[in-house]
Amino acid sequence: MKNLIILFCGLFLTFSCKTEKKETTETPEKEEVVKLAYASFGDKISKEGALTKEEALAKYSSMKPGDTIAVKFASEINEVCSKKGCWMKVPVSDSEEVMVRFKDYGFFMPLDSKGKEVVIEGKAFIKETSVEELQHYAEDAGKSKDEIAKITESKKELAFVANGVLLK
């Protein structure tokens, strides 16, 4: 009986401790690196569901001064405040652009963002901008004194208060 127990333990250890070396040809899975395509400013927003600039212009066309709508659209930056980045202008057609300011003056755009693609989300409205304000914006944009002096009439403007911006 003793010999049987020793034999059983020997067989058990032989088979349980035997390690097989399996050669694997599998390569370790590579992690996908996702690069951020957009820098985010203000509230976190996504580019999904953004209107084109032409669709945004159609929304503005149906508005009158005093109307406000929530909208998200994509365009590129035509101009940005050269002092702080506290406003920007984005086109919605060849002849129309939207003056974009930022909610509660809570964030600014990089000064070198002119020409870059953006997605903006917030409130669109039409407003009448005074001569003084138009001259101030012209000064911020680095316009000459002669160009600023030519601003003599208020203007109806397509305006936007962005709560979030994605900059490509």
Side-chain angles (χ1 to χ4, degrees), residues 27-34:
T27 58
E29 291 183 29
K30 294 180 182 178
E31 289 184 31
E32 258 185 62
V33 177
V34 178

Side-chain angles (χ1 to χ4, degrees), residues 7-23:
L7 178 63
F8 179 70
C9 288
L11 288 173
F12 178 74
L13 289 174
T14 302
F15 289 110
S16 66
C17 293
K18 187 175 182 181
T19 58
E20 290 183 30
K21 290 185 181 180
K22 292 184 181 178
E23 290 187 32

